[in-house]
Amino acid sequence: LGKYVITGGFRLEGSIRINGAKNACLPVLAATVLNKGISEIYDVTYLKDVEVMLEILNFLGAVVEREGYYIRIDTSNLSPKEIPEELMRKMRSSIFLMGPLITRFGKVRLSYPGGCDLGPRPIDLHLKGLRMMGANLTEEHGFIEAHCDKLKGCNIHLDFPSVGATENLMMAAALAQGVTVIRNAAKEPEIVDLQNFINNMGGSVTGAGTDTIKVVGVEKLNSVKHTVIPDRIVAGTYMVAAAITGGQVKLKNIILEHVEPIIAKLRESGCVIETNGDSLTVNGPKQIQSIDIIRTLPHPGFPTDMQAPIMALMSIANGTTMLTETIFENRFKHVDELRRMGADIKINGRAAVIKGVKSLTGAAVEAKDLRAGAALVIAGLAAEGTTIVDGAQHIERGYENIDKNLTSLGAHIKKID
Ligand code: UD1
C-alpha cells in the first residue's frame, strides 16, 4: 500500500530506458511450463504481477533464480497441484497457466482468476478453445477442472480477438497432437513475442501478428533463452507525461512499430516526436491541442491501456475530444477522479466527451486500477499544487519505480507508505 504525492508544474526533461513488457513477460513465464527444462529470460521487470506469476510457478515446483533483470527458471520437476484461490485471485493473468498445464499434465484444477477491475472480464473464449481441442472442462464452486488424454489440434475461430485467449490457446497447441489454426486471433506485439519464445524452444508457430495463427504441435520442447520486448504501454505513459508538462524526454529501448499508434495520436495533439533507431524523443507543445476522435481498438489500433493516460492529457487540451472505449465495458474509473482535479468530462455509455480546461488543480484521488492510476499521476504532473494519488499498489502492478523515473526527469513526486 502507499500513495504518491506530486507537486505539479515541473517540466520533464531527460532520458530513460524502457524495460521488458509486463504483458509479454507474463505469458512467456507461463509458457516455461511447456519445456520441462530451463528457460533463461532477460529483461524481466520487477513488477507485482510478475512476482505473482513467479510465486505460482514456484508453488508448482519450478526452481526460480533471479539476478537483476535476468531470470532462470527450471520447470523439470513440476507437479500438477491445485493452485490455491488466494494465488489465482491476485492476478487475472494466472489463467495463462491453464493452457500450458493441461497440455503438459493432461489435467489441471484452478480457481477463477482475479485481476484488474475493468468490468466483466470473462474467460469463455479461453475455455471454448480448450474444449475444442478436446479438454473436458467442468466449472464448479468457483473452480475450473480440466482433463484430457492429449489435446488435439483443430480450427478455432475466436468471436473476439482476445489477447489472453489467443496466447492461452497458442501455448496449449504447442504440444498438442496435430495442427491448430486460430482465426480472428489478436495481433498484439506481445503475441509475436510469445510465438518467438515458443519457437526458440523448438515449437512451430507461424502467423503471430496477423489474424491467423498456425501452431503445429511438437512432441517436446527444449531449454531456451529469450529477451522480453520493451513495454509499449510504459513507453506511451512516459510519452504522455512528457507531453503534458511541455517537456522533452528521450526514451531508449523502444520498438517503434509497437508505439506507432501512440505516436500518431500524440502528433495530433501538437507533440513533435523524433525517432532514431530504437529510441525516440517527445517534445511537448506549449499548449496541447485536442484530438477530435480517439477510439481504442485491437492492435494496431489505439491501445485501450493508453485510454486513461491520454484522457488525462486531453483534459487540459485546447478544444474538445471525443473518446470511445470499444474494448472494455467499464474502463472509465479515472473519470470521477480527474473531475475532482477540475477536468470537464462527460460519459455516455462507452463514449467520453472531454472539454479541455485551462488547468487542473491538485486533489486527493484514488487509483482504482493500473492504467487509471498512471493517468492520475500524469494529471498530477501538470496540476496546480499538490496531488495525492492513493492506491500505489495498483500502479506497481505495471510500473517499476515510476516515482524514481519521473524524479530523474525533474518531476516532484514522492511515494509515502
Ligand atoms: C490483455 C492485456 C491488457 C489489455 C487487453 C486488451 C495482458 C496481461 N493484459 O488483457 O493489459 O488491456 O489485453 O488489449 O496481456 N473477452 C471475452 N471472453 C474471453 C476473453 C476476453 O469476452 O474469454 C473480452 C473481454 O471482456 C474484453 C475483450 O475481450 O472486453 C478484450 O479482452 P482480452 O483481449 O482478452 O484482454 P486480456 O487478455 O485480458
Side-chain angles (χ1 to χ4, degrees):
L1 294 182
K3 327 177 170 194
Y4 294 108
V5 180
I6 306 157
T7 309
F10 295 90
R11 183 172 178 266
L12 299 191
E13 208 176 321
S15 78
I16 50 173
R17 178 187 190 272
I18 301 302
N19 296 331
K22 164 176 92 73
N23 289 352
C25 189
L26 292 171
V28 159
L29 289 176
T32 63
V33 166
L34 295 169
N35 72 358
K36 286 194 199 172
I38 291 161
S39 301
E40 292 182 274
I41 311 173
Y42 298 84
D43 222 349
V44 178
T45 310
Y46 283 83
L47 298 169
K48 285 275 149 66
D49 278 9
V50 169
E51 305 302 323
V52 175
M53 184 59 92
L54 293 174
E55 212 180 314
I56 298 178
L57 287 170
N58 194 270
F59 170 84
L60 292 170
V63 181
V64 179
E65 286 164 38
R66 189 163 194 179
E67 228 186 285
Y69 291 151
Y70 163 84
I71 201 161
R72 182 182 187 277
I73 303 179
D74 184 347
T75 58
S76 311
N77 295 313
L78 293 193
S79 53
K81 287 196 284 187
E82 171 180 321
I83 304 173
E85 194 172 342
E86 152 220 341
L87 277 177
M88 284 298 289
R89 273 185 181 281
K90 279 192 186 168
M91 166 183 74
R92 183 182 152 82
S93 303
S94 49
I95 189 66
F96 287 150
L97 287 159
M98 182 110 198
L101 287 172
I102 303 182
T103 203
R104 173 154 172 189
F105 293 109
K107 64 174 180 181
V108 54
R109 180 175 148 91
L110 34 82
S111 117
Y112 271 91
C116 228
D117 220 354
L118 309 177
R121 287 185 86 171
I123 51 170
D124 56 310
L125 299 174
H126 301 237
L127 302 185
K128 196 168 158 188
L130 292 171
R131 283 197 171 104
M132 290 178 78
M133 296 178 76
N136 276 305
L137 296 177
T138 42
E139 298 168 74
E140 260 172 17
H141 310 297
F143 277 81
I144 309 165
E145 209 172 306
H147 62 92
C148 64
D149 292 335
K150 188 163 171 74
L151 292 180
K152 288 198 177 56
C154 64
N155 289 320
I156 299 170
H157 188 106
L158 293 178
D159 299 321
F160 183 88
S162 154
V163 175
T166 302
E167 292 166 338
N168 219 337
L169 297 172
M170 281 164 79
M171 293 188 276
L175 291 172
Q177 186 188 327
V179 179
T180 303
V181 178
I182 307 169
R183 294 208 167 76
N184 197 25
K187 297 184 279 199
E188 270 65 5
E190 292 74 22
I191 291 175
V192 180
D193 202 41
L194 179 62
Q195 166 175 291
N196 291 339
F197 183 75
I198 295 173
N199 288 345
N200 289 345
M201 293 195 290
S204 175
V205 187
T206 49
T210 76
D211 58 15
T212 305
I213 296 175
K214 183 174 161 191
V215 186
V216 182
V218 297
E219 279 289 314
K220 75 182 271 294
L221 294 164
N222 318 312
S223 293
V224 61
K225 279 187 197 213
H226 182 79
T227 302
V228 178
I229 55 170
D231 198 312
R232 63 196 166 98
I233 304 301
V234 169
T237 303
Y238 287 112
M239 287 163 75
V240 173
I244 206 167
T245 65
Q248 182 179 63
V249 173
K250 179 174 180 178
L251 302 180
K252 295 182 279 192
N253 192 37
I254 295 278
I255 298 176
L256 272 181
E257 199 190 332
H258 297 175
V259 288
E260 286 294 354
I262 303 167
I263 291 179
K265 284 297 165 200
L266 287 182
R267 283 191 172 139
E268 280 184 54
S269 79
C271 293
V272 174
I273 298 173
E274 294 145 25
T275 62
N276 183 7
D278 67 351
S279 67
L280 65 77
T281 305
V282 180
N283 296 278
K286 281 224 161 60
Q287 167 67 58
I288 295 287
Q289 299 302 320
S290 60
I291 302 173
D292 288 347
I293 289 180
I294 303 175
R295 259 155 60 89
T296 64
L297 286 171
H299 190 77
F302 188 79
T304 171
D305 286 349
M306 285 302 297
Q307 183 254 105
I310 206 147
M311 189 186 287
L313 182 67
M314 291 300 102
S315 70
I316 58 157
N318 176 29
T320 300
T321 299
M322 164 88 178
L323 185 158
T324 312
E325 170 59 60
T326 79
I327 308 293
F328 289 106
E329 273 171 50
N330 184 12
R331 202 173 197 176
F332 283 140
K333 296 221 167 116
H334 40 289
V335 170
D336 274 340
E337 307 303 302
L338 288 171
R339 281 192 191 124
R340 289 174 74 90
M341 300 177 70
D344 180 351
I345 305 170
K346 292 193 178 63
I347 301 291
N348 184 3
R350 289 174 175 234
V353 176
I354 308 137
K355 280 194 190 148
V357 295
K358 272 229 152 55
S359 61
L360 296 172
T361 51
V365 290
E366 193 190 334
K368 293 182 178 156
D369 68 55
L370 166 57
R371 307 301 170 187
L376 296 173
V377 170
I378 288 169
L381 295 175
E384 285 166 17
T386 304
T387 298
I388 300 170
V389 183
D390 203 351
Q393 73 278 10
H394 289 295
I395 298 173
E396 288 168 353
R397 288 188 37 229
Y399 297 89
E400 184 187 14
N401 294 331
I402 195 170
D403 49 340
K404 295 199 179 79
N405 280 332
L406 288 172
T407 300
S408 78
L409 296 173
H412 287 207
I413 174 170
K414 251 192 343 231
K415 187 177 168 207
I416 51 174
D417 286 311

